[in-house]
Amino acid sequence: MGMFDSVYVDCPNCGGSVEMQTKAGECYLERYTLDDAPAALLIDILNDPAWCRHCKSWFVLVSPEYPIGQPKQPPRPAVIAAKLREPREGEFGTYARNPDYFRWWTAPLSDADIEGNAS
């Protein structure tokens, strides 16, 4: 048995609750509604016909941003690696056995921490 999350949708024909299953995201067997489901889960169930067992009719979730027949993935963001300033004492953590190799940033990050940004 696979793991999935569920989004419960009110049928537009009769108002009955219909479970739509998705394997997008982490899949923690969570239950959502259209109002609180994460965007990745909603995108996954868009444009997939669903059957309402209450009124024995079909419906589909649609969005003008994701037309039927088009890929459902959002556009890939433009991402670059930016240099950060050197952190001050207490702004980073280290692994005791290898402090030069395992380090992580612990301070709250802001645009001012990126080299070349003035705030």
Side-chain angles (χ1 to χ4, degrees):
M1 181 172 144
M3 290 180 54
F4 56 86
D5 289 326
S6 298
V7 179
Y8 289 87
V9 179
D10 292 338
C11 172
N13 300 300
C14 73
S17 182
V18 176
E19 177 187 27
M20 299 182 81
Q21 297 177 355
T22 172
K23 290 190 177 222
E26 297 295 322
C27 296
Y28 291 116
L29 302 174
E30 296 290 340
R31 298 165 56 127
Y32 300 97
T33 66
L34 280 181
D35 294 331
D36 64 5
L41 275 58
L42 293 176
I43 290 169
D44 187 52
I45 61 177
L46 278 175
N47 304 330
D48 289 336
W51 172 253
C52 177
R53 62 181 175 82
H54 305 288
C55 67
K56 301 184 180 7
S57 65
W58 292 93
F59 70 94
V60 65
L61 298 178
V62 295
S63 169
E65 296 164 0
Y66 298 91
I68 293 173
Q70 300 297 314
K72 291 192 281 185
Q73 295 299 319
R76 187 169 171 81
V79 178
I80 61 166
K83 292 181 183 179
L84 288 173
R85 65 168 175 78
E86 282 298 315
R88 294 177 279 281
E89 192 65 37
E91 292 186 323
F92 66 96
T94 61
Y95 183 59
R97 286 192 242 174
N98 199 341
D100 290 329
Y101 187 71
F102 294 107
R103 292 176 176 235
W104 55 93
W105 194 276
T106 60
L109 187 66
S110 74
D111 284 335
D113 296 319
I114 297 175
E115 282 188 9
N117 282 356
S119 324

